[in-house]
Amino acid sequence: MSTNNLDQLYRSVIMDHYKNPRNKGVIEESTVTVDMNNPTCGDVIHLTLEVKDDIVQNAKFEGEGCSISMASASMMTQMIKGRSVEEAQHLAEIVSNIMMSKDYDDSIDLGDLESLAGVAKFPARIKCATLSWKAMEKGVQKDSE
């Protein structure tokens, strides 16, 4: 597949998550609640997680922002549900490495997350793509204290 076709596919995946977000909403009985924003571009996220026995049972978000920010939040909630907190944090590390064009653990099927790789070409958008992941990391760290 040519680079242009791959870029188009990735844009399509991001737009699908933006227009049809997965796990949008609030978990009423959440064990973790985090609010974060990216003042540079106005992205805002309200993340709620249900963590039980060190497993992310459920994850939902609400927020406003650019397509990259909201799509990344949608992808993140899909990827961390059912995983241990440690696995969720490892995924956050992988996303960070992808954004910084660093090597990362490619033994995990990243699914739609791979579509965020193109964001690395636009340094100003990296914070958009990582906002929800930073919120999750902050929340699970706080939860384990």
Side-chain angles (χ1 to χ4, degrees):
M1 187 177 284
S2 74
T3 303
N4 193 30
N5 288 345
L6 192 58
D7 286 345
Q8 183 59 41
L9 173 65
Y10 285 168
R11 279 193 291 276
S12 295
V13 171
I14 289 170
M15 290 310 294
D16 179 51
H17 275 273
Y18 176 64
K19 291 178 180 178
N20 307 295
R22 283 58 153 189
N23 306 303
K24 189 139 186 182
V26 175
I27 302 168
E28 296 301 328
E29 302 296 319
S30 64
T31 56
V32 175
T33 301
V34 180
D35 292 299
M36 288 186 76
N37 71 339
N38 176 0
T40 330
C41 67
D43 296 332
V44 176
I45 187 161
H46 175 73
L47 179 66
T48 53
L49 304 173
E50 179 188 351
V51 179
K52 184 177 178 186
D53 298 327
D54 207 39
I55 302 292
V56 179
Q57 302 290 327
N58 201 357
K60 292 192 176 206
F61 77 98
E62 287 188 327
E64 295 178 6
C66 68
S67 59
I68 292 170
S69 176
M70 296 297 101
S72 182
S74 174
M75 292 175 203
M76 185 222 27
T77 57
Q78 278 193 306
M79 288 295 294
I80 66 171
K81 280 168 91 171
R83 294 186 188 262
S84 70
V85 167
E86 185 178 331
E87 289 172 315
Q89 290 172 315
H90 183 63
L91 284 168
E93 180 184 331
I94 290 171
V95 169
S96 179
N97 286 343
I98 289 171
M99 293 300 115
M100 304 307 288
S101 298
K102 293 181 180 177
D103 290 338
Y104 61 90
D105 177 0
D106 61 359
S107 67
I108 298 172
D109 178 12
L110 298 177
D112 289 350
L113 278 178
E114 289 185 52
S115 66
L116 294 174
V119 175
K121 298 175 193 171
F122 306 97
R125 304 307 297 274
I126 291 173
K127 287 184 179 180
C128 303
T130 58
L131 179 65
S132 59
W133 293 91
K134 298 290 184 195
M136 182 272 296
E137 287 180 303
K138 180 179 178 182
V140 296
Q141 286 171 355
K142 184 171 54 173
D143 187 55
S144 64
E145 292 174 353

